């Protein structure tokens, strides 16, 4: 792998991690919208679920960006993202066109992120990783 490819792959891992870190911060801050989304699923202990999900996102994003088990982290983050996307972003059920548009953008953006995670899962994190073989 050329140096420019290694740097590009590292930057891709870093940028994908930002999405999960931002999401984790919102959950750990217990933002009302995040908690209400969990309550809407009728899950017990929504504050605990939010904290657990946020911590999982931080661990997964850290693994991805530092290249510690990046393949495994990519698979787990992709599975997490697919399930969250299907559960929370059902744009086809949105009550208004404006809500539908916002949810559809987030839905398809998440699918693009799943594509990037799949790529890392298949080729690995590249040489700019702490444990590139995992």
């Amino acid at each position: 792998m050329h140096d420019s490819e290694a740097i590009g792959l590292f930057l891709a891992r870093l940028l994908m991690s930002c999405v999960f870190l931002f999401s984790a911060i919102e959950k750990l801050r217990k933002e009302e919208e995040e908690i209400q989304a969990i309550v809407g699923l009728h899950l017990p202990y929504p504050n605990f679920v939010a904290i657990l999900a946020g911590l999982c996102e931080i661990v997964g994003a850290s693994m991805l960006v530092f290249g510690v088990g990046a393949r495994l982290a990519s698979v787990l983050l992709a599975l997490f993202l697919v399930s969250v996307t299907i559960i929370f972003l059902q744009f086809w059920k949105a009550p208004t066109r404006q809500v539908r548009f916002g949810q559809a953008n987030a839905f398809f953006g998440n699918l693009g992120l799943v594509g990037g995670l799949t790529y890392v899962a298949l080729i690995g994190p590249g040489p700019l990783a702490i444990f590139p073989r995992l």
Side-chain angles (χ1 to χ4, degrees):
M1 180 176 282
H2 295 75
D3 288 344
S4 60
E5 293 170 328
I7 291 169
L9 187 53
F10 170 73
L11 290 174
R13 292 189 347 251
L14 178 65
L15 293 171
M16 287 187 287
S17 294
C18 289
V19 173
F20 293 102
L21 292 173
F22 176 78
S23 176
I25 289 168
E26 295 296 303
K27 288 175 180 69
L28 295 175
R29 290 178 61 203
K30 297 180 188 169
E31 292 291 331
E32 185 63 27
E33 189 174 292
E34 291 284 339
I35 301 301
Q36 288 307 313
I38 295 168
V39 168
L41 293 174
H42 308 292
L43 295 174
Y45 311 108
N47 286 323
F48 175 75
V49 170
I51 290 170
L52 183 62
L55 292 175
C56 288
E57 285 177 307
I58 287 173
V59 169
S62 298
M63 289 174 68
L64 181 63
V65 77
F66 292 115
V68 178
R71 287 178 191 256
L72 175 62
S74 294
V75 169
L76 295 176
L77 287 171
L79 291 172
F80 172 79
L81 192 57
V82 165
S83 62
V84 166
T85 299
I86 291 170
I87 292 168
F88 289 106
L89 297 174
Q90 298 179 0
F91 65 92
W92 54 90
K93 293 182 179 179
T96 66
R97 186 170 193 222
Q98 184 178 5
V99 172
R100 186 170 38 258
F101 180 77
Q103 286 185 345
N105 275 342
F107 184 95
F108 290 106
N110 284 358
L111 289 184
L113 184 55
V114 168
L117 291 166
T118 301
Y119 185 73
V120 173
L122 292 172
I123 70 159
L128 297 179
I130 294 174
F131 294 112
R133 297 281 182 206
L134 292 179

